[in-house]
Amino acid sequence: MPKPRVIYWFRTDLRLHDSPALKTALDLKPECLYPIWTWDPHYVYHARVGPNRWQFLLDCQNDLSESITKLNPQSKLFLIREAPQTLFPKLFKEWKITHLVFEKDTDAYGRDRDDKVKELAKEAGVEVITRPGRTLYDSDELVKANNNRPTMSISQVQHAGAKIGDIARPIPAPKSLPSPGTPTLSFNQQKPASNPDINAIQRDAEEKSYDALAGPNNDFAVPTMEELGLKPATTPHRGGETIGLKMLDEIIANEDYTATFEKPKTAPTAFEPQATTLLSPHMHFGSVSCREFYWRVQDVVSKYKGKASQPPTSLTGQLLFRDMYFGAQAALGYAFGQSYNNPQCRFIPWHLPSEIDTKSGLITGKYLVDDAKAEVFFKRWKEGRTGFPWIDALMRQLKHEGWIHHLGRHAVACFLTRGGCYVDWERGAEVFEEWLIDHEAACNIGNWQWLSCTAFFAQFYRCYSPIAFPQKWDKDGNFVRKYVPELEHFDKKYIYEPWKAPILDQKKWGCLIKGDGTDTDTDTEDGTLRTYPKPMLDFPKQRDICIQGMKNAYHVGLYGKNPKVLDGTWRKL
Ligand code: FAD
């Protein structure tokens, strides 16, 4: 019986430790194992990925490749620049593959892509093996144990999880890896016959695109940011299994922190170091396994002499929240990512007419926040020039570093949607998608729905004040001073409300509060006075308007935006 020839397809699992799928591939005792990554045009060209997340991905790939080479000097991570749907049939043939193994993906697009690849493998006579490994529980199993319903609360996850049984203990990293085979791409060298109708420039481009499959040096290397034509990253947070596991070791070494962690008690204003683990980007790229994280924490908790925290506020509770969003996404598919036709997502007429005749359910007119105003609010929120230093500091940290604390995310998401601007959560989620290094579709979408009170959470009257809330954590405003340096010298009395400072003081502290933040010119003859915008809205007034709008929407009680809602005759169905 010939030995299996296996492709191991890395995607959401850029690690060697605790990979059930990799273990399964190695258990086949293959003659050769090709560790590959394929550039998926869906992510490369169509998704919103900023330079910081790109850098994190390349870091993870480089680190993984080096770790593979340490276990087998002939091997590494082979990067191939073609869509899996067209690449695999050629690889199956060329490398005489018998098995394709990968970690299961429950993202809506990932499922579609994998179904197509499975079909192609079947046609080529290649056996496909997948294993869950991205979440504590297999998300499909979790949904099944939740009576085939999306998991919409942490207690549903806990009940469904109890039916499934214990969370699996992590699997150690392999000690060696098989030969990577001979990764030729001869189909790549078979360039099409030269087309007489194309000119020299087109021919050159065509030939280059053929050569580029294994990279410009034909060595399957991880590209650089420069080679990809991307701007340099600005984040201080770097990726890779080695860094991720070291971070985890440091967290676990602090037993008090690990055992007594309570999310609501961690400061969103803390930086260098931040108050939470910052392991989320490693969770996203799979450079740290969530089960490794879970069990290392749980083992500390089990031995802890003092009073340990419990889910949902504990560290293990945070990982259960992650599973909750994956479970919701697994059950709802594409609909989860939007309001449209999403049966779990409450319909809110964001900057649409929102005065409703409560008897008939008909809209009686008036815009809560009209489109033009909403557009200005959105732009200023995104660009960190709302005039509310707490919100602007967070948005600037997000853009520059790609990560902000959970309660910081709460603050900016609530402010953009139901607690300030009344802008659709989907628009905010798109900005997070581009800028977060930990962007995880399930978690981002789910948390935006939570914060906008469209799903998961319904207490819309509880809003975050951009003034009182940060004061609770950071009376001196050090967080604001770091990310909004215009206000660096402001007295702490005015740090969250700089527009209230007397003009003379504004001048003394080097910054005038005026305009909308687009005017970056300095304002004095000697050019030393900076400007910071006035607040773009009257917060208490706007919050009350939003709460009224939410009350109306909840009263009508529609779920999932649909054409009936959009045609202007929004009525109780
Ligand atoms: P810790 O507090 O140290 O938690 C440990 C781990 O638990 C995290 O690494 C993360 O994997 C998981 N976790 C913690 N809180 C949550 C949560 N509320 N939901 C899901 N998982 C959680 N998290 C993402 O991973 N990707 C996203 O795209 C994302 N978008 C968000 C958007 C909004 C509007 C909000 C309010 C939250 C979002 N979160 C997202 C959840 C949460 O803010 C981050 O996971 C957390 O802040 C990451 O920091 P940490 O690793 O220090 O978390």
Side-chain angles (χ1 to χ4, degrees), residues 189-227:
Q189 269 100 56
Q190 290 159 12
K191 290 174 191 156
S194 202
N195 178 351
D197 297 332
I198 61 173
N199 64 31
I201 296 171
Q202 283 171 322
R203 188 170 305 116
D204 188 45
E206 193 180 68
E207 287 184 357
K208 273 214 178 76
S209 77
Y210 270 83
D211 290 340
L213 211 62
N217 301 319
N218 212 23
D219 58 357
F220 302 93
V222 176
T224 60
M225 295 287 280
E226 206 181 4
E227 189 196 317

mmCIF file of all heavy atoms in Angstrom, residues 189-227:
data_model
loop_
_atom_site.group_PDB
_atom_site.id
_atom_site.type_symbol
_atom_site.label_atom_id
_atom_site.label_comp_id
_atom_site.label_asym_id
_atom_site.label_seq_id
_atom_site.Cartn_x
_atom_site.Cartn_y
_atom_site.Cartn_z
ATOM 1 N N GLN A 189 4.909 26.557 -15.512
ATOM 2 C CA GLN A 189 5.892 26.881 -16.546
ATOM 3 C C GLN A 189 5.318 26.724 -17.948
ATOM 4 O O GLN A 189 5.845 27.248 -18.912
ATOM 5 C CB GLN A 189 7.142 26.009 -16.413
ATOM 6 C CG GLN A 189 8.198 26.653 -15.532
ATOM 7 C CD GLN A 189 8.175 26.066 -14.125
ATOM 8 O OE1 GLN A 189 8.298 24.854 -13.995
ATOM 9 N NE2 GLN A 189 7.970 26.880 -13.119
ATOM 10 N N GLN A 190 4.208 25.962 -18.029
ATOM 11 C CA GLN A 190 3.618 25.769 -19.359
ATOM 12 C C GLN A 190 2.851 27.024 -19.747
ATOM 13 O O GLN A 190 1.634 27.102 -19.628
ATOM 14 C CB GLN A 190 2.670 24.562 -19.354
ATOM 15 C CG GLN A 190 3.394 23.246 -19.220
ATOM 16 C CD GLN A 190 2.457 22.156 -18.708
ATOM 17 O OE1 GLN A 190 1.255 22.328 -18.664
ATOM 18 N NE2 GLN A 190 3.024 21.037 -18.326
ATOM 19 N N LYS A 191 3.593 28.000 -20.148
ATOM 20 C CA LYS A 191 2.942 29.261 -20.492
ATOM 21 C C LYS A 191 2.117 29.064 -21.753
ATOM 22 O O LYS A 191 2.497 28.285 -22.621
ATOM 23 C CB LYS A 191 4.007 30.330 -20.718
ATOM 24 C CG LYS A 191 4.678 30.713 -19.432
ATOM 25 C CD LYS A 191 5.805 31.650 -19.643
ATOM 26 C CE LYS A 191 6.570 31.758 -18.333
ATOM 27 N NZ LYS A 191 7.935 32.169 -18.515
ATOM 28 N N PRO A 192 1.028 29.770 -21.870
ATOM 29 C CA PRO A 192 0.217 29.611 -23.074
ATOM 30 C C PRO A 192 0.993 30.088 -24.298
ATOM 31 O O PRO A 192 1.866 30.956 -24.182
ATOM 32 C CB PRO A 192 -0.985 30.516 -22.807
ATOM 33 C CG PRO A 192 -0.566 31.440 -21.730
ATOM 34 C CD PRO A 192 0.520 30.801 -20.966
ATOM 35 N N ALA A 193 0.669 29.501 -25.450
ATOM 36 C CA ALA A 193 1.343 29.915 -26.686
ATOM 37 C C ALA A 193 1.194 31.415 -26.835
ATOM 38 O O ALA A 193 0.144 31.990 -26.522
ATOM 39 C CB ALA A 193 0.685 29.208 -27.852
ATOM 40 N N SER A 194 2.261 32.042 -27.251
ATOM 41 C CA SER A 194 2.245 33.496 -27.329
ATOM 42 C C SER A 194 1.127 33.975 -28.246
ATOM 43 O O SER A 194 0.947 33.486 -29.361
ATOM 44 C CB SER A 194 3.595 33.961 -27.835
ATOM 45 O OG SER A 194 3.758 35.284 -27.443
ATOM 46 N N ASN A 195 0.384 34.886 -27.732
ATOM 47 C CA ASN A 195 -0.762 35.390 -28.485
ATOM 48 C C ASN A 195 -0.297 36.520 -29.416
ATOM 49 O O ASN A 195 0.191 37.551 -28.944
ATOM 50 C CB ASN A 195 -1.789 35.902 -27.446
ATOM 51 C CG ASN A 195 -3.009 36.490 -28.087
ATOM 52 O OD1 ASN A 195 -3.050 36.682 -29.311
ATOM 53 N ND2 ASN A 195 -4.018 36.761 -27.269
ATOM 54 N N PRO A 196 -0.417 36.325 -30.733
ATOM 55 C CA PRO A 196 0.097 37.337 -31.658
ATOM 56 C C PRO A 196 -0.659 38.659 -31.559
ATOM 57 O O PRO A 196 -0.166 39.700 -32.002
ATOM 58 C CB PRO A 196 -0.112 36.704 -33.037
ATOM 59 C CG PRO A 196 -1.162 35.666 -32.838
ATOM 60 C CD PRO A 196 -1.079 35.217 -31.413
ATOM 61 N N ASP A 197 -1.861 38.605 -30.935
ATOM 62 C CA ASP A 197 -2.654 39.836 -30.899
ATOM 63 C C ASP A 197 -2.286 40.765 -29.747
ATOM 64 O O ASP A 197 -2.854 41.836 -29.607
ATOM 65 C CB ASP A 197 -4.155 39.501 -30.781
ATOM 66 C CG ASP A 197 -4.606 38.738 -32.004
ATOM 67 O OD1 ASP A 197 -3.986 38.946 -33.061
ATOM 68 O OD2 ASP A 197 -5.533 37.925 -31.879
ATOM 69 N N ILE A 198 -1.380 40.302 -28.849
ATOM 70 C CA ILE A 198 -1.089 41.204 -27.724
ATOM 71 C C ILE A 198 0.254 41.900 -27.939
ATOM 72 O O ILE A 198 1.137 41.382 -28.622
ATOM 73 C CB ILE A 198 -1.105 40.476 -26.356
ATOM 74 C CG1 ILE A 198 -0.036 39.372 -26.292
ATOM 75 C CG2 ILE A 198 -2.479 39.925 -26.050
ATOM 76 C CD1 ILE A 198 0.095 38.744 -24.918
ATOM 77 N N ASN A 199 0.343 43.077 -27.341
ATOM 78 C CA ASN A 199 1.592 43.811 -27.512
ATOM 79 C C ASN A 199 2.623 43.376 -26.463
ATOM 80 O O ASN A 199 2.329 42.575 -25.566
ATOM 81 C CB ASN A 199 1.335 45.325 -27.473
ATOM 82 C CG ASN A 199 0.819 45.765 -26.108
ATOM 83 O OD1 ASN A 199 1.161 45.176 -25.090
ATOM 84 N ND2 ASN A 199 -0.028 46.784 -26.107
ATOM 85 N N ALA A 200 3.826 43.920 -26.574
ATOM 86 C CA ALA A 200 4.936 43.469 -25.724
ATOM 87 C C ALA A 200 4.642 43.700 -24.237
ATOM 88 O O ALA A 200 4.967 42.861 -23.409
ATOM 89 C CB ALA A 200 6.201 44.216 -26.125
ATOM 90 N N ILE A 201 3.995 44.829 -23.948
ATOM 91 C CA ILE A 201 3.725 45.129 -22.530
ATOM 92 C C ILE A 201 2.752 44.107 -21.951
ATOM 93 O O ILE A 201 2.943 43.550 -20.875
ATOM 94 C CB ILE A 201 3.166 46.566 -22.372
ATOM 95 C CG1 ILE A 201 4.242 47.557 -22.808
ATOM 96 C CG2 ILE A 201 2.723 46.839 -20.944
ATOM 97 C CD1 ILE A 201 3.789 48.989 -22.911
ATOM 98 N N GLN A 202 1.691 43.810 -22.753
ATOM 99 C CA GLN A 202 0.707 42.832 -22.275
ATOM 100 C C GLN A 202 1.372 41.449 -22.111
ATOM 101 O O GLN A 202 1.097 40.734 -21.154
ATOM 102 C CB GLN A 202 -0.444 42.723 -23.267
ATOM 103 C CG GLN A 202 -1.408 43.899 -23.176
ATOM 104 C CD GLN A 202 -2.411 43.876 -24.312
ATOM 105 O OE1 GLN A 202 -2.069 43.528 -25.456
ATOM 106 N NE2 GLN A 202 -3.630 44.230 -24.018
ATOM 107 N N ARG A 203 2.249 41.117 -23.083
ATOM 108 C CA ARG A 203 2.898 39.796 -23.023
ATOM 109 C C ARG A 203 3.760 39.698 -21.757
ATOM 110 O O ARG A 203 3.741 38.700 -21.049
ATOM 111 C CB ARG A 203 3.745 39.572 -24.279
ATOM 112 C CG ARG A 203 4.286 38.138 -24.340
ATOM 113 C CD ARG A 203 4.922 37.816 -25.677
ATOM 114 N NE ARG A 203 4.045 38.050 -26.803
ATOM 115 C CZ ARG A 203 4.274 38.966 -27.758
ATOM 116 N NH1 ARG A 203 5.349 39.716 -27.721
ATOM 117 N NH2 ARG A 203 3.432 39.115 -28.763
ATOM 118 N N ASP A 204 4.471 40.782 -21.481
ATOM 119 C CA ASP A 204 5.324 40.810 -20.299
ATOM 120 C C ASP A 204 4.487 40.594 -19.033
ATOM 121 O O ASP A 204 4.830 39.800 -18.164
ATOM 122 C CB ASP A 204 6.041 42.169 -20.264
ATOM 123 C CG ASP A 204 7.097 42.193 -19.175
ATOM 124 O OD1 ASP A 204 7.836 41.206 -19.097
ATOM 125 O OD2 ASP A 204 7.145 43.183 -18.416
ATOM 126 N N ALA A 205 3.356 41.300 -18.990
ATOM 127 C CA ALA A 205 2.479 41.194 -17.808
ATOM 128 C C ALA A 205 1.954 39.761 -17.689
ATOM 129 O O ALA A 205 1.907 39.190 -16.595
ATOM 130 C CB ALA A 205 1.323 42.171 -17.940
ATOM 131 N N GLU A 206 1.586 39.183 -18.816
ATOM 132 C CA GLU A 206 1.046 37.825 -18.797
ATOM 133 C C GLU A 206 2.103 36.834 -18.298
ATOM 134 O O GLU A 206 1.850 35.985 -17.452
ATOM 135 C CB GLU A 206 0.609 37.456 -20.220
ATOM 136 C CG GLU A 206 -0.235 36.207 -20.259
ATOM 137 C CD GLU A 206 -0.642 35.882 -21.688
ATOM 138 O OE1 GLU A 206 0.242 35.524 -22.477
ATOM 139 O OE2 GLU A 206 -1.827 36.007 -22.001
ATOM 140 N N GLU A 207 3.322 37.007 -18.809
ATOM 141 C CA GLU A 207 4.387 36.095 -18.405
ATOM 142 C C GLU A 207 4.711 36.271 -16.930
ATOM 143 O O GLU A 207 4.914 35.308 -16.206
ATOM 144 C CB GLU A 207 5.630 36.312 -19.273
ATOM 145 C CG GLU A 207 5.376 35.745 -20.662
ATOM 146 C CD GLU A 207 6.567 35.824 -21.589
ATOM 147 O OE1 GLU A 207 7.595 36.368 -21.170
ATOM 148 O OE2 GLU A 207 6.439 35.339 -22.720
ATOM 149 N N LYS A 208 4.718 37.523 -16.501
ATOM 150 C CA LYS A 208 5.027 37.788 -15.075
ATOM 151 C C LYS A 208 3.993 37.113 -14.192
ATOM 152 O O LYS A 208 4.324 36.535 -13.182
ATOM 153 C CB LYS A 208 5.015 39.294 -14.820
ATOM 154 C CG LYS A 208 6.350 39.947 -15.087
ATOM 155 C CD LYS A 208 6.569 41.098 -14.106
ATOM 156 C CE LYS A 208 7.914 41.750 -14.318
ATOM 157 N NZ LYS A 208 7.906 42.614 -15.500
ATOM 158 N N SER A 209 2.719 37.195 -14.608
ATOM 159 C CA SER A 209 1.685 36.633 -13.757
ATOM 160 C C SER A 209 1.859 35.113 -13.659
ATOM 161 O O SER A 209 1.539 34.520 -12.640
ATOM 162 C CB SER A 209 0.295 37.016 -14.254
ATOM 163 O OG SER A 209 -0.039 36.236 -15.356
ATOM 164 N N TYR A 210 2.375 34.495 -14.702
ATOM 165 C CA TYR A 210 2.623 33.053 -14.602
ATOM 166 C C TYR A 210 3.775 32.769 -13.660
ATOM 167 O O TYR A 210 3.731 31.889 -12.823
ATOM 168 C CB TYR A 210 2.889 32.464 -15.994
ATOM 169 C CG TYR A 210 1.589 32.035 -16.602
ATOM 170 C CD1 TYR A 210 0.779 32.947 -17.249
ATOM 171 C CD2 TYR A 210 1.138 30.735 -16.440
ATOM 172 C CE1 TYR A 210 -0.445 32.575 -17.744
ATOM 173 C CE2 TYR A 210 -0.089 30.352 -16.943
ATOM 174 C CZ TYR A 210 -0.884 31.282 -17.595
ATOM 175 O OH TYR A 210 -2.099 30.900 -18.066
ATOM 176 N N ASP A 211 4.846 33.603 -13.799
ATOM 177 C CA ASP A 211 6.026 33.375 -12.972
ATOM 178 C C ASP A 211 5.727 33.635 -11.503
ATOM 179 O O ASP A 211 6.376 33.101 -10.635
ATOM 180 C CB ASP A 211 7.157 34.322 -13.401
ATOM 181 C CG ASP A 211 7.685 33.920 -14.767
ATOM 182 O OD1 ASP A 211 7.455 32.761 -15.136
ATOM 183 O OD2 ASP A 211 8.289 34.754 -15.456
ATOM 184 N N ALA A 212 4.741 34.504 -11.255
ATOM 185 C CA ALA A 212 4.558 35.000 -9.893
ATOM 186 C C ALA A 212 3.878 34.012 -8.951
ATOM 187 O O ALA A 212 3.755 34.293 -7.773
ATOM 188 C CB ALA A 212 3.772 36.297 -9.943
ATOM 189 N N LEU A 213 3.451 32.879 -9.467
ATOM 190 C CA LEU A 213 2.698 31.938 -8.625
ATOM 191 C C LEU A 213 3.449 31.550 -7.346
ATOM 192 O O LEU A 213 2.863 31.430 -6.281
ATOM 193 C CB LEU A 213 2.390 30.686 -9.455
ATOM 194 C CG LEU A 213 1.126 29.967 -9.113
ATOM 195 C CD1 LEU A 213 -0.073 30.845 -9.342
ATOM 196 C CD2 LEU A 213 1.005 28.691 -9.942
ATOM 197 N N ALA A 214 4.744 31.362 -7.458
ATOM 198 C CA ALA A 214 5.549 31.031 -6.273
ATOM 199 C C ALA A 214 6.344 32.244 -5.808
ATOM 200 O O ALA A 214 7.347 32.121 -5.128
ATOM 201 C CB ALA A 214 6.490 29.876 -6.592
ATOM 202 N N GLY A 215 5.904 33.422 -6.181
ATOM 203 C CA GLY A 215 6.578 34.662 -5.775
ATOM 204 C C GLY A 215 7.608 35.090 -6.797
ATOM 205 O O GLY A 215 7.983 34.299 -7.667
ATOM 206 N N PRO A 216 8.089 36.331 -6.685
ATOM 207 C CA PRO A 216 8.999 36.871 -7.696
ATOM 208 C C PRO A 216 10.311 36.085 -7.794
ATOM 209 O O PRO A 216 10.937 36.038 -8.852
ATOM 210 C CB PRO A 216 9.244 38.310 -7.243
ATOM 211 C CG PRO A 216 8.737 38.394 -5.855
ATOM 212 C CD PRO A 216 7.756 37.301 -5.649
ATOM 213 N N ASN A 217 10.722 35.446 -6.695
ATOM 214 C CA ASN A 217 11.972 34.667 -6.751
ATOM 215 C C ASN A 217 11.710 33.174 -6.917
ATOM 216 O O ASN A 217 12.613 32.350 -6.746
ATOM 217 C CB ASN A 217 12.808 34.905 -5.489
ATOM 218 C CG ASN A 217 13.135 36.368 -5.344
ATOM 219 O OD1 ASN A 217 13.445 37.038 -6.337
ATOM 220 N ND2 ASN A 217 13.023 36.893 -4.132
ATOM 221 N N ASN A 218 10.460 32.864 -7.206
ATOM 222 C CA ASN A 218 10.071 31.471 -7.434
ATOM 223 C C ASN A 218 10.438 30.557 -6.259
ATOM 224 O O ASN A 218 10.795 29.395 -6.448
ATOM 225 C CB ASN A 218 10.765 30.976 -8.716
ATOM 226 C CG ASN A 218 9.892 29.955 -9.409
ATOM 227 O OD1 ASN A 218 8.673 29.930 -9.212
ATOM 228 N ND2 ASN A 218 10.507 29.084 -10.197
ATOM 229 N N ASP A 219 10.368 31.108 -5.051
ATOM 230 C CA ASP A 219 10.811 30.324 -3.890
ATOM 231 C C ASP A 219 9.701 30.160 -2.840
ATOM 232 O O ASP A 219 9.966 29.760 -1.714
ATOM 233 C CB ASP A 219 12.035 30.993 -3.251
ATOM 234 C CG ASP A 219 11.716 32.438 -2.818
ATOM 235 O OD1 ASP A 219 10.583 32.903 -3.078
ATOM 236 O OD2 ASP A 219 12.593 33.090 -2.242
ATOM 237 N N PHE A 220 8.476 30.460 -3.186
ATOM 238 C CA PHE A 220 7.307 30.281 -2.302
ATOM 239 C C PHE A 220 7.429 31.095 -1.012
ATOM 240 O O PHE A 220 6.868 30.744 0.012
ATOM 241 C CB PHE A 220 7.112 28.807 -1.917
ATOM 242 C CG PHE A 220 6.926 27.877 -3.073
ATOM 243 C CD1 PHE A 220 8.018 27.219 -3.629
ATOM 244 C CD2 PHE A 220 5.673 27.657 -3.611
ATOM 245 C CE1 PHE A 220 7.846 26.347 -4.695
ATOM 246 C CE2 PHE A 220 5.497 26.785 -4.675
ATOM 247 C CZ PHE A 220 6.590 26.129 -5.227
ATOM 248 N N ALA A 221 8.221 32.173 -1.060
ATOM 249 C CA ALA A 221 8.500 32.910 0.182
ATOM 250 C C ALA A 221 7.316 33.760 0.626
ATOM 251 O O ALA A 221 6.447 34.122 -0.179
ATOM 252 C CB ALA A 221 9.723 33.793 -0.028
ATOM 253 N N VAL A 222 7.312 34.090 1.913
ATOM 254 C CA VAL A 222 6.329 35.029 2.452
ATOM 255 C C VAL A 222 6.681 36.410 1.889
ATOM 256 O O VAL A 222 7.844 36.820 1.978
ATOM 257 C CB VAL A 222 6.408 35.049 4.000
ATOM 258 C CG1 VAL A 222 5.455 36.090 4.577
ATOM 259 C CG2 VAL A 222 6.115 33.663 4.570
ATOM 260 N N PRO A 223 5.735 37.100 1.295
ATOM 261 C CA PRO A 223 6.078 38.409 0.714
ATOM 262 C C PRO A 223 6.350 39.462 1.787
ATOM 263 O O PRO A 223 6.032 39.257 2.957
ATOM 264 C CB PRO A 223 4.818 38.789 -0.077
ATOM 265 C CG PRO A 223 3.723 38.015 0.542
ATOM 266 C CD PRO A 223 4.321 36.778 1.146
ATOM 267 N N THR A 224 6.921 40.549 1.359
ATOM 268 C CA THR A 224 7.094 41.686 2.279
ATOM 269 C C THR A 224 5.955 42.667 2.015
ATOM 270 O O THR A 224 5.294 42.605 0.968
ATOM 271 C CB THR A 224 8.421 42.406 2.002
ATOM 272 O OG1 THR A 224 8.389 42.872 0.649
ATOM 273 C CG2 THR A 224 9.609 41.500 2.223
ATOM 274 N N MET A 225 5.774 43.607 2.917
ATOM 275 C CA MET A 225 4.740 44.631 2.748
ATOM 276 C C MET A 225 5.035 45.436 1.485
ATOM 277 O O MET A 225 4.132 45.780 0.728
ATOM 278 C CB MET A 225 4.727 45.572 3.954
ATOM 279 C CG MET A 225 4.340 44.935 5.249
ATOM 280 S SD MET A 225 2.581 44.566 5.339
ATOM 281 C CE MET A 225 1.921 46.175 5.756
ATOM 282 N N GLU A 226 6.297 45.716 1.301
ATOM 283 C CA GLU A 226 6.721 46.519 0.157
ATOM 284 C C GLU A 226 6.370 45.815 -1.155
ATOM 285 O O GLU A 226 5.800 46.415 -2.069
ATOM 286 C CB GLU A 226 8.229 46.696 0.262
ATOM 287 C CG GLU A 226 8.744 47.926 -0.398
ATOM 288 C CD GLU A 226 10.253 47.996 -0.253
ATOM 289 O OE1 GLU A 226 10.877 47.060 0.287
ATOM 290 O OE2 GLU A 226 10.792 48.999 -0.724
ATOM 291 N N GLU A 227 6.683 44.520 -1.185
ATOM 292 C CA GLU A 227 6.402 43.746 -2.390
ATOM 293 C C GLU A 227 4.900 43.721 -2.701
ATOM 294 O O GLU A 227 4.488 43.718 -3.859
ATOM 295 C CB GLU A 227 6.920 42.328 -2.149
ATOM 296 C CG GLU A 227 6.907 41.427 -3.343
ATOM 297 C CD GLU A 227 7.058 39.985 -2.873
ATOM 298 O OE1 GLU A 227 7.902 39.717 -1.982
ATOM 299 O OE2 GLU A 227 6.317 39.143 -3.374
#
